[in-house]
Structures are given as structure tokens and as C-alpha cells.
Coordinates of all heavy atoms in Angstrom, one line a residue:
M127 N 397.5 17.3 269.8 CA 397.2 18.2 268.7 C 396.4 17.4 267.7 O 396.8 16.3 267.2 CB 398.5 18.6 268.0 CG 398.3 19.6 266.9 SD 399.9 20.4 266.6 CE 399.9 20.4 264.8
N128 N 395.2 17.8 267.4 CA 394.3 17.1 266.5 C 393.7 18.1 265.5 O 392.6 18.6 265.6 CB 393.2 16.4 267.3 CG 392.4 15.4 266.4 OD1 392.7 15.2 265.3 ND2 391.4 14.8 267.0
D129 N 394.5 18.4 264.4 CA 394.1 19.3 263.4 C 393.7 18.6 262.1 O 394.2 19.0 261.0 CB 395.3 20.3 263.1 CG 395.6 21.1 264.3 OD1 394.7 21.4 265.1 OD2 396.8 21.5 264.5
R130 N 393.0 17.6 262.2 CA 392.6 16.8 261.0 C 391.7 17.7 260.1 O 390.8 18.4 260.6 CB 391.8 15.6 261.4 CG 392.7 14.6 262.2 CD 392.5 13.3 261.7 NE 393.5 12.4 262.3 CZ 393.6 11.2 262.0 NH1 392.8 10.6 261.3 NH2 394.6 10.5 262.5
V131 N 391.9 17.6 258.9 CA 391.1 18.3 257.9 C 390.0 17.4 257.4 O 390.3 16.2 257.0 CB 392.0 18.7 256.7 CG1 391.2 19.4 255.6 CG2 393.1 19.6 257.2
T132 N 388.8 17.8 257.5 CA 387.7 17.0 257.1 C 387.5 17.1 255.6 O 387.8 18.2 255.0 CB 386.4 17.4 257.8 OG1 386.1 18.7 257.4 CG2 386.5 17.3 259.3
P133 N 387.0 16.1 254.9 CA 386.8 16.2 253.5 C 385.9 17.4 253.1 O 386.0 17.9 252.0 CB 386.1 14.9 253.1 CG 386.5 13.9 254.2 CD 386.7 14.8 255.4
Q134 N 385.0 17.8 253.9 CA 384.1 18.9 253.6 C 384.8 20.2 253.6 O 384.5 21.1 252.9 CB 382.9 19.0 254.6 CG 382.0 17.8 254.5 CD 382.5 16.6 255.3 OE1 383.4 16.7 256.2 NE2 382.0 15.4 255.0
A135 N 385.9 20.3 254.4 CA 386.6 21.6 254.6 C 387.6 21.8 253.4 O 387.9 22.9 253.0 CB 387.4 21.6 255.9
L136 N 388.1 20.7 252.8 CA 389.1 20.9 251.8 C 388.9 19.7 250.7 O 388.9 18.6 251.1 CB 390.5 20.7 252.4 CG 391.7 21.1 251.6 CD1 391.6 22.6 251.1 CD2 392.9 20.9 252.4
P137 N 388.7 20.1 249.4 CA 388.5 19.0 248.5 C 389.8 18.1 248.3 O 390.9 18.6 248.5 CB 388.3 19.8 247.1 CG 388.7 21.2 247.4 CD 388.7 21.4 248.9
A138 N 389.6 16.9 248.1 CA 390.7 15.9 248.0 C 391.6 16.2 246.8 O 392.8 16.0 246.8 CB 390.2 14.5 247.9
M139 N 391.0 16.7 245.7 CA 391.8 17.1 244.5 C 391.2 18.4 243.9 O 390.0 18.5 243.8 CB 391.8 16.0 243.5 CG 392.6 16.3 242.3 SD 393.0 14.9 241.1 CE 391.5 14.0 241.1
Q140 N 392.1 19.2 243.4 CA 391.6 20.5 242.9 C 392.5 20.9 241.7 O 393.8 20.7 241.8 CB 391.8 21.6 244.0 CG 391.4 22.9 243.6 CD 391.5 23.9 244.8 OE1 391.7 23.5 245.9 NE2 391.3 25.2 244.5
A141 N 391.9 21.3 240.6 CA 392.7 21.7 239.4 C 393.2 23.1 239.7 O 392.5 24.0 240.2 CB 391.8 21.8 238.2
M142 N 394.5 23.3 239.3 CA 395.1 24.6 239.6 C 395.2 25.4 238.2 O 395.2 24.8 237.2 CB 396.5 24.4 240.1 CG 396.6 23.5 241.4 SD 395.5 24.2 242.7 CE 396.4 25.7 243.1
P143 N 395.3 26.7 238.3 CA 395.3 27.5 237.1 C 396.5 27.2 236.2 O 396.4 27.4 235.0 CB 395.4 29.0 237.6 CG 395.0 28.9 239.0 CD 395.3 27.5 239.5
D144 N 397.6 26.8 236.8 CA 398.8 26.5 235.9 C 398.7 25.1 235.2 O 399.7 24.7 234.6 CB 400.1 26.6 236.8 CG 400.1 25.6 237.9 OD1 399.2 24.8 238.1 OD2 401.1 25.7 238.7
G145 N 397.6 24.4 235.4 CA 397.5 23.1 234.7 C 397.8 21.9 235.5 O 397.7 20.8 235.1
E146 N 398.3 22.2 236.7 CA 398.6 21.1 237.6 C 397.4 20.7 238.5 O 396.4 21.4 238.5 CB 399.8 21.4 238.5 CG 401.1 21.6 237.7 CD 402.3 21.8 238.5 OE1 402.2 22.1 239.7 OE2 403.4 21.7 238.0
A147 N 397.5 19.7 239.3 CA 396.5 19.3 240.2 C 397.0 19.3 241.6 O 398.2 19.0 241.8 CB 395.9 17.9 239.9
E148 N 396.2 19.7 242.6 CA 396.6 19.8 244.0 C 395.8 18.7 244.7 O 394.6 18.7 244.7 CB 396.4 21.1 244.6 CG 396.8 21.2 246.0 CD 396.6 22.6 246.5 OE1 397.4 23.5 246.2 OE2 395.6 22.8 247.3
L149 N 396.6 17.8 245.4 CA 395.9 16.7 246.1 C 396.1 17.0 247.6 O 397.1 17.5 248.1 CB 396.6 15.4 245.9 CG 396.6 14.9 244.4 CD1 397.5 13.7 244.3 CD2 395.2 14.7 243.9
S150 N 395.0 16.8 248.4 CA 395.1 17.0 249.8 C 395.1 15.6 250.4 O 394.2 14.7 250.2 CB 393.9 17.7 250.3 OG 393.8 19.0 249.7
L151 N 396.1 15.3 251.2 CA 396.3 14.0 251.9 C 396.6 14.2 253.3 O 397.2 15.2 253.8 CB 397.5 13.3 251.3 CG 397.6 13.1 249.8 CD1 398.9 12.6 249.4 CD2 396.5 12.1 249.4
V152 N 396.2 13.2 254.1 CA 396.6 13.1 255.5 C 397.5 11.9 255.6 O 397.1 10.8 255.2 CB 395.4 12.9 256.4 CG1 395.8 12.6 257.9 CG2 394.5 14.1 256.3
V153 N 398.7 12.1 256.0 CA 399.7 11.0 256.0 C 400.3 10.9 257.4 O 400.7 11.9 258.0 CB 400.9 11.3 255.0 CG1 401.9 10.2 255.0 CG2 400.4 11.6 253.6
R154 N 400.3 9.7 257.9 CA 400.9 9.5 259.3 C 402.3 9.0 259.0 O 402.5 8.0 258.4 CB 400.1 8.4 260.0 CG 398.7 8.9 260.4 CD 397.9 7.9 261.1 NE 398.6 7.6 262.4 CZ 398.1 7.0 263.4 NH1 396.9 6.6 263.4 NH2 398.8 6.7 264.5
L155 N 403.3 9.7 259.6 CA 404.7 9.3 259.5 C 405.3 9.2 260.8 O 405.0 9.9 261.8 CB 405.4 10.4 258.7 CG 404.9 10.7 257.3 CD1 405.6 12.0 256.7 CD2 405.2 9.5 256.4
P156 N 406.3 8.3 260.9 CA 407.2 8.3 262.1 C 408.0 9.6 262.2 O 408.3 10.3 261.2 CB 408.1 7.2 261.9 CG 407.6 6.4 260.7 CD 406.7 7.3 260.0
W157 N 408.3 10.0 263.4 CA 409.0 11.3 263.6 C 410.3 11.3 262.9 O 410.8 12.4 262.4 CB 409.3 11.6 265.1 CG 408.0 12.1 265.8 CD1 407.2 11.4 266.7 CD2 407.4 13.3 265.6 NE1 406.2 12.2 267.0 CE2 406.2 13.4 266.4 CE3 407.7 14.4 264.8 CZ2 405.4 14.5 266.4 CZ3 406.8 15.5 264.8 CH2 405.7 15.5 265.6
E158 N 411.0 10.2 262.7 CA 412.3 10.2 262.0 C 412.1 10.6 260.5 O 412.9 11.3 259.9 CB 413.0 8.9 262.1 CG 412.4 7.7 261.3 CD 413.3 6.5 261.4 OE1 414.2 6.4 262.2 OE2 413.0 5.6 260.6
D159 N 410.9 10.2 259.9 CA 410.6 10.6 258.5 C 410.3 12.1 258.5 O 410.7 12.8 257.5 CB 409.4 9.8 258.0 CG 409.8 8.3 257.7 OD1 411.0 8.0 257.7 OD2 408.9 7.5 257.6
V160 N 409.6 12.6 259.5 CA 409.3 14.0 259.5 C 410.7 14.8 259.6 O 410.8 15.8 258.9 CB 408.4 14.4 260.7 CG1 408.2 15.9 260.8 CG2 407.1 13.7 260.5
A161 N 411.6 14.3 260.4 CA 412.9 14.9 260.5 C 413.6 14.9 259.2 O 414.3 15.9 258.8 CB 413.7 14.2 261.6
R162 N 413.5 13.8 258.4 CA 414.2 13.7 257.1 C 413.5 14.7 256.1 O 414.2 15.3 255.3 CB 414.1 12.3 256.5 CG 415.3 11.5 257.1 CD 415.3 10.1 256.5 NE 414.5 9.3 257.4 CZ 413.8 8.2 257.0 NH1 413.7 7.9 255.8 NH2 413.2 7.6 257.9
L163 N 412.2 14.9 256.2 CA 411.6 15.9 255.4 C 412.1 17.3 255.8 O 412.2 18.1 254.9 CB 410.1 15.8 255.6 CG 409.4 14.6 254.9 CD1 407.9 14.6 255.3 CD2 409.5 14.8 253.4
G164 N 412.3 17.5 257.0 CA 412.8 18.8 257.5 C 414.2 19.1 256.9 O 414.5 20.2 256.5
Q165 N 415.0 18.0 256.9 CA 416.4 18.1 256.3 C 416.2 18.4 254.8 O 416.9 19.3 254.2 CB 417.2 16.9 256.4 CG 417.7 16.7 257.9 CD 418.6 15.5 258.0 OE1 418.4 14.5 257.3 NE2 419.5 15.6 258.9
E166 N 415.3 17.8 254.1 CA 415.1 18.0 252.7 C 414.6 19.4 252.5 O 415.1 20.1 251.6 CB 414.0 17.0 252.1 CG 413.7 17.2 250.7 CD 414.8 16.7 249.8 OE1 415.8 16.0 250.2 OE2 414.7 17.0 248.6
A167 N 413.7 19.9 253.3 CA 413.3 21.3 253.3 C 414.4 22.3 253.5 O 414.5 23.3 252.8 CB 412.2 21.6 254.3
G168 N 415.3 22.0 254.4 CA 416.5 22.8 254.6 C 417.4 22.9 253.4 O 417.9 24.0 253.0
R169 N 417.6 21.7 252.7 CA 418.4 21.7 251.5 C 417.8 22.5 250.4 O 418.4 23.3 249.7 CB 418.7 20.3 251.0 CG 419.7 19.5 251.8 CD 420.1 18.2 251.2 NE 419.0 17.2 251.3 CZ 418.8 16.4 252.4 NH1 419.6 16.5 253.4 NH2 417.8 15.6 252.4
L170 N 416.4 22.3 250.2 CA 415.7 23.1 249.2 C 415.7 24.6 249.5 O 415.9 25.4 248.6 CB 414.3 22.5 249.1 CG 413.4 23.1 248.0 CD1 414.0 22.8 246.6 CD2 412.0 22.5 248.1
A171 N 415.6 24.9 250.8 CA 415.6 26.4 251.1 C 416.9 27.0 250.8 O 417.0 28.1 250.3 CB 415.3 26.5 252.6
A172 N 418.0 26.2 251.1 CA 419.3 26.8 250.7 C 419.5 26.9 249.2 O 420.1 27.9 248.8 CB 420.4 25.8 251.3
Q173 N 419.0 26.0 248.5 CA 419.1 26.0 247.0 C 418.2 27.2 246.5 O 418.7 27.9 245.6 CB 418.6 24.7 246.5 CG 418.6 24.6 245.0 CD 418.0 23.3 244.5 OE1 417.8 22.4 245.2 NE2 417.7 23.2 243.2
M174 N 417.0 27.4 247.0 CA 416.1 28.4 246.5 C 416.3 29.7 247.1 O 415.7 30.7 246.7 CB 414.7 27.9 246.7 CG 414.3 26.6 245.9 SD 412.7 26.1 246.2 CE 411.8 27.2 245.1
Q175 N 417.2 29.8 248.2 CA 417.5 31.1 248.9 C 416.2 31.7 249.5 O 416.0 32.9 249.5 CB 418.1 32.1 247.9 CG 419.4 31.6 247.3 CD 420.6 31.8 248.2 OE1 420.7 32.8 248.8 NE2 421.4 30.8 248.2
R176 N 415.3 30.9 250.0 CA 414.1 31.3 250.7 C 413.6 30.2 251.6 O 413.9 29.0 251.3 CB 413.0 31.8 249.7 CG 412.5 30.7 248.9 CD 411.3 31.2 248.1 NE 410.7 30.1 247.2 CZ 409.8 29.2 247.6 NH1 409.4 29.2 248.9 NH2 409.3 28.3 246.8
P177 N 412.8 30.5 252.6 CA 412.2 29.5 253.4 C 411.2 28.6 252.6 O 410.5 29.1 251.7 CB 411.4 30.2 254.5 CG 411.9 31.6 254.4 CD 412.4 31.9 253.0
V178 N 411.1 27.4 252.9 CA 410.2 26.5 252.2 C 409.4 25.7 253.3 O 409.9 25.4 254.4 CB 410.8 25.5 251.2 CG1 411.5 26.3 250.1 CG2 411.8 24.6 251.9
T179 N 408.2 25.2 252.9 CA 407.4 24.4 253.9 C 407.7 22.9 253.6 O 408.3 22.6 252.6 CB 405.9 24.6 253.6 OG1 405.6 24.2 252.3 CG2 405.6 26.1 253.8
L180 N 407.3 22.1 254.5 CA 407.5 20.6 254.3 C 406.6 20.2 253.1 O 407.1 19.3 252.4 CB 407.0 19.9 255.6 CG 407.9 20.0 256.8 CD1 407.3 19.1 257.9 CD2 409.3 19.6 256.5
D181 N 405.5 20.8 252.9 CA 404.7 20.5 251.7 C 405.5 20.8 250.4 O 405.5 19.9 249.5 CB 403.4 21.4 251.6 CG 402.4 21.0 252.7 OD1 402.6 20.0 253.3 OD2 401.4 21.8 252.8
E182 N 406.2 21.9 250.4 CA 407.1 22.2 249.2 C 408.2 21.2 249.0 O 408.5 20.8 247.9 CB 407.7 23.6 249.3 CG 406.7 24.7 249.1 CD 407.3 26.0 249.2 OE1 407.6 26.4 250.4 OE2 407.6 26.7 248.2
A183 N 408.8 20.8 250.2 CA 409.8 19.8 250.1 C 409.3 18.5 249.6 O 410.0 17.8 248.7 CB 410.5 19.6 251.5
V184 N 408.2 18.0 250.0 CA 407.6 16.8 249.5 C 407.3 16.9 248.0 O 407.6 16.0 247.3 CB 406.3 16.4 250.3 CG1 405.6 15.2 249.7 CG2 406.7 16.0 251.8
S185 N 406.6 18.0 247.7 CA 406.3 18.2 246.2 C 407.5 18.2 245.4 O 407.6 17.5 244.3 CB 405.6 19.5 246.0 OG 404.3 19.5 246.7
N186 N 408.6 18.8 245.8 CA 409.8 18.9 245.1 C 410.4 17.5 244.9 O 410.9 17.1 243.9 CB 410.8 19.8 245.7 CG 412.1 19.9 244.9 OD1 412.1 20.4 243.8 ND2 413.2 19.4 245.5
R187 N 410.4 16.7 246.0 CA 411.0 15.4 246.0 C 410.2 14.5 245.1 O 410.8 13.7 244.3 CB 410.9 14.8 247.5 CG 411.6 13.5 247.6 CD 413.1 13.7 247.4 NE 413.8 12.5 247.7 CZ 415.1 12.3 247.7 NH1 415.8 13.4 247.6 NH2 415.6 11.2 247.9
L188 N 408.9 14.6 245.1 CA 408.1 13.8 244.2 C 408.3 14.1 242.7 O 408.3 13.3 241.9 CB 406.6 13.9 244.5 CG 406.2 13.2 245.9 CD1 404.7 13.6 246.2 CD2 406.3 11.7 245.8
R189 N 408.5 15.4 242.5 CA 408.7 15.9 241.1 C 410.1 15.5 240.6 O 410.3 15.3 239.4 CB 408.6 17.4 241.0 CG 407.2 17.9 241.1 CD 407.2 19.4 241.3 NE 405.9 19.8 241.8 CZ 405.2 20.7 241.2 NH1 405.5 21.3 240.1 NH2 404.0 21.0 241.7
T190 N 411.1 15.4 241.5 CA 412.4 15.1 241.0 C 412.8 13.6 241.0 O 413.8 13.2 240.6 CB 413.5 15.9 241.8 OG1 413.3 15.5 243.2 CG2 413.3 17.4 241.7
M191 N 411.9 12.8 241.6 CA 412.1 11.3 241.6 C 412.0 10.8 240.2 O 411.1 11.2 239.4 CB 411.1 10.6 242.5 CG 411.4 10.6 243.9 SD 410.2 9.7 244.9 CE 410.0 8.2 244.0
R192 N 412.8 9.8 239.9 CA 412.7 9.1 238.6 C 411.4 8.3 238.6 O 411.3 7.4 239.5 CB 413.9 8.2 238.3 CG 413.9 7.6 237.0 CD 415.1 6.7 236.8 NE 414.8 5.6 236.1 CZ 414.9 4.3 236.4 NH1 415.5 4.1 237.6 NH2 414.5 3.3 235.7
P193 N 410.4 8.5 237.7 CA 409.2 7.7 237.7 C 409.5 6.3 237.3 O 410.2 6.0 236.4 CB 408.3 8.4 236.7 CG 409.2 9.2 235.9 CD 410.4 9.5 236.7
S194 N 408.8 5.4 238.0 CA 409.0 4.0 237.8 C 408.0 3.4 236.8 O 408.3 2.5 236.1 CB 409.0 3.2 239.0 OG 407.7 3.2 239.6
A195 N 406.8 4.0 236.7 CA 405.8 3.5 235.8 C 405.6 2.0 236.0 O 405.5 1.3 235.0 CB 406.0 3.9 234.4
A196 N 405.6 1.5 237.2 CA 405.5 0.1 237.4 C 404.1 -0.5 236.9 O 404.1 -1.6 236.4 CB 405.5 -0.2 238.9
H197 N 403.1 0.3 236.8 CA 401.8 -0.1 236.3 C 401.9 -0.3 234.8 O 401.0 -0.9 234.2 CB 400.8 0.9 236.7 CG 401.0 2.3 236.1 ND1 402.0 3.1 236.6 CD2 400.5 2.9 235.0 CE1 402.0 4.2 235.9 NE2 401.1 4.1 234.9
A198 N 402.9 0.3 234.1 CA 402.9 0.3 232.7 C 403.8 -0.9 232.1 O 403.9 -1.0 230.9 CB 403.5 1.6 232.1
R199 N 404.4 -1.7 233.0 CA 405.2 -2.8 232.5 C 404.4 -3.9 231.9 O 403.3 -4.2 232.5 CB 406.0 -3.3 233.7 CG 407.3 -2.6 233.8 CD 408.2 -3.4 234.8 NE 408.9 -2.4 235.6 CZ 408.5 -2.1 236.8 NH1 407.5 -2.7 237.4 NH2 409.1 -1.2 237.5
P200 N 404.8 -4.5 230.9 CA 404.1 -5.7 230.3 C 404.0 -6.8 231.4 O 404.8 -6.9 232.2 CB 405.0 -6.1 229.2 CG 405.8 -5.0 228.8 CD 406.0 -4.2 230.1
A201 N 402.9 -7.5 231.3 CA 402.7 -8.6 232.3 C 403.8 -9.6 232.2 O 404.3 -10.0 231.2 CB 401.4 -9.3 232.0
G202 N 404.3 -10.0 233.4 CA 405.3 -11.0 233.5 C 406.7 -10.4 233.6 O 407.7 -11.1 233.9
E203 N 406.9 -9.1 233.2 CA 408.2 -8.5 233.2 C 408.6 -8.2 234.7 O 407.8 -7.6 235.4 CB 408.2 -7.3 232.4 CG 409.6 -6.6 232.3 CD 409.6 -5.4 231.4 OE1 408.9 -5.4 230.4 OE2 410.2 -4.4 231.8
Q204 N 409.7 -8.6 235.1 CA 410.2 -8.4 236.5 C 410.9 -7.1 236.5 O 411.7 -6.7 235.7 CB 411.1 -9.5 236.9 CG 410.5 -10.9 237.0 CD 409.4 -10.9 238.0 OE1 409.5 -10.4 239.1 NE2 408.2 -11.5 237.7
P205 N 410.7 -6.3 237.6 CA 411.4 -5.0 237.8 C 412.9 -5.3 238.0 O 413.3 -6.3 238.6 CB 410.7 -4.4 239.0 CG 410.1 -5.5 239.7 CD 409.8 -6.6 238.7
T206 N 413.7 -4.4 237.6 CA 415.1 -4.4 237.8 C 415.4 -3.9 239.2 O 414.6 -3.2 239.8 CB 415.9 -3.7 236.8 OG1 415.6 -2.3 236.9 CG2 415.7 -4.2 235.4
A207 N 416.6 -4.1 239.7 CA 417.0 -3.6 241.0 C 416.8 -2.0 241.1 O 416.4 -1.5 242.0 CB 418.4 -4.0 241.4
G208 N 417.2 -1.4 240.0 CA 417.1 0.1 240.0 C 415.7 0.6 240.0 O 415.3 1.5 240.6
T209 N 414.8 -0.2 239.3 CA 413.4 0.2 239.2 C 412.8 0.0 240.6 O 412.0 0.7 241.0 CB 412.7 -0.6 238.1 OG1 413.3 -0.4 236.9 CG2 411.2 -0.2 238.0
A210 N 413.1 -1.1 241.2 CA 412.6 -1.4 242.5 C 413.0 -0.3 243.5 O 412.1 0.1 244.3 CB 413.1 -2.8 243.1
A211 N 414.2 0.2 243.4 CA 414.6 1.3 244.3 C 413.8 2.5 244.0 O 413.5 3.3 244.9 CB 416.1 1.5 244.2
A212 N 413.5 2.8 242.8 CA 412.8 4.0 242.4 C 411.4 4.0 242.8 O 410.7 5.0 242.9 CB 412.9 4.2 240.9
T213 N 410.8 2.8 243.1 CA 409.4 2.7 243.5 C 409.2 2.9 245.0 O 408.1 3.0 245.4 CB 408.8 1.4 243.1 OG1 409.5 0.3 243.7 CG2 408.9 1.2 241.6
T214 N 410.3 3.0 245.7 CA 410.1 3.3 247.2 C 409.5 4.6 247.4 O 409.7 5.5 246.6 CB 411.5 3.1 247.9 OG1 412.4 4.1 247.4 CG2 412.0 1.7 247.8
A215 N 408.9 4.8 248.5 CA 408.3 6.1 248.9 C 409.4 7.2 248.9 O 410.5 6.9 249.3 CB 407.6 6.0 250.2
S216 N 409.0 8.4 248.5 CA 410.0 9.5 248.5 C 410.6 9.8 249.9 O 411.8 10.1 250.0 CB 409.3 10.8 247.9 OG 408.3 11.2 248.8
V217 N 409.8 9.7 250.9 CA 410.3 9.9 252.2 C 411.4 8.9 252.6 O 412.4 9.2 253.1 CB 409.2 9.9 253.3 CG1 409.8 10.0 254.7 CG2 408.3 11.1 253.0
A218 N 411.1 7.6 252.3 CA 412.0 6.5 252.6 C 413.3 6.7 251.8 O 414.4 6.2 252.3 CB 411.4 5.2 252.3
S219 N 413.3 7.4 250.7 CA 414.5 7.5 249.9 C 415.4 8.7 250.3 O 416.5 8.8 249.9 CB 414.2 7.7 248.4 OG 413.5 8.9 248.2
L220 N 414.9 9.5 251.3 CA 415.7 10.5 251.8 C 416.9 10.0 252.7 O 416.7 8.9 253.3 CB 414.9 11.5 252.7 CG 413.9 12.3 251.9 CD1 413.0 13.0 252.9 CD2 414.5 13.3 251.0
P221 N 418.0 10.6 252.7 CA 419.1 10.1 253.5 C 418.7 10.0 255.0 O 418.0 10.8 255.5 CB 420.2 11.1 253.3 CG 419.6 12.3 252.7 CD 418.3 11.9 252.1
R222 N 419.3 9.0 255.7 CA 419.0 8.8 257.1 C 419.7 9.9 257.9 O 420.8 10.4 257.5 CB 419.5 7.4 257.5 CG 418.7 6.3 257.0 CD 417.5 6.2 257.8 NE 416.7 5.1 257.3 CZ 415.4 4.9 257.7 NH1 414.9 5.7 258.6 NH2 414.7 3.9 257.2
I223 N 419.2 10.2 259.0 CA 419.7 11.2 259.9 C 420.8 10.5 260.7 O 420.7 9.5 261.2 CB 418.7 11.8 260.9 CG1 417.6 12.5 260.1 CG2 419.3 12.7 261.9 CD1 416.4 12.9 260.9
S224 N 422.0 11.2 260.7 CA 423.1 10.7 261.5 C 423.7 11.8 262.4 O 423.3 13.0 262.2 CB 424.2 10.1 260.6 OG 424.8 11.1 259.9
G225 N 424.5 11.4 263.3 CA 425.1 12.4 264.2 C 426.1 13.4 263.5 O 426.4 14.5 264.0
T226 N 426.6 13.0 262.3 CA 427.5 13.9 261.5 C 426.8 14.3 260.3 O 425.9 13.7 259.8 CB 428.8 13.1 261.1 OG1 428.4 12.0 260.4 CG2 429.5 12.6 262.4
A227 N 427.3 15.5 259.8 CA 426.7 16.1 258.6 C 427.3 15.5 257.3 O 428.4 15.1 257.2 CB 426.8 17.6 258.6

């Protein structure tokens, strides 16, 4: 399956009417990360009482993560353990898949 989106077909960033921006990305993920995103989408769908896409699950996860603002720290300041954990990718912060629920 090779459904790559070319830059000419879809702009990389687009302003939305609600004041937000929409970014188009191509991300290569291991299958276990895709499965975790599916679990996140399932939890979100149960919460919202409707089907959701993986895109919605990722967007929700990014919006609900505590921002680390690592770029805004004064020079020389070391991140704390909590801040370092918050800077991990949203997919990596999803719970690992196990045989039990």
C-alpha cells in the first residue's frame, strides 16, 4: 500500500475557520504504536459516544498533553524528571498493549 500524499496535493499547513491550524504530516510508526493509537481512539470513542479516527485520537492526545515548553527554559536550566516525561512523544506515552485489559 503506497498512499503517500504529495505536497502538491495537500498543503503542509492550513488555517482553519475556527482559528486553529491544520498540519499535514506523514509519520512512520511501528505497528505496536499504531495499535496503541487504536486503543486511544477506542477510549475516545467511548467517551464521545461516537466513532473517531486515528487522526482525532492523535489530535486529542496532543491537546491534552501537558506542554513542556522546553524551548522556553532559561539557558543552563536542567529539566526535571516530570518535564522530561512530558516531552516524550504522545504515542510513546500511551499505555503499552498487554494481554489483559
Side-chain angles (χ1 to χ4, degrees):
M127 183 164 141
N128 191 4
D129 296 328
R130 295 222 170 181
V131 177
T132 63
Q134 296 80 21
L136 193 61
M139 184 168 35
Q140 180 177 353
M142 304 305 291
D144 61 3
E146 295 184 345
E148 182 176 283
L149 301 174
S150 300
L151 303 171
V152 174
V153 181
R154 293 182 60 164
L155 299 171
W157 282 110
E158 71 176 14
D159 291 341
V160 174
R162 277 185 265 148
L163 285 173
Q165 286 185 330
E166 180 74 10
R169 284 189 288 274
L170 185 59
Q173 178 184 348
M174 298 178 78
Q175 301 278 318
R176 66 172 180 83
V178 298
T179 64
L180 291 182
D181 289 350
E182 287 178 284
V184 170
S185 293
N186 182 67
R187 187 68 176 187
L188 290 171
R189 289 170 197 235
T190 59
M191 278 183 45
R192 184 177 146 240
S194 66
H197 63 282
R199 272 192 220 99
E203 183 178 322
Q204 296 296 318
T206 63
T209 304
T213 60
T214 59
S216 63
V217 172
S219 68
L220 292 171
R222 289 281 177 191
I223 297 171
S224 64
T226 59

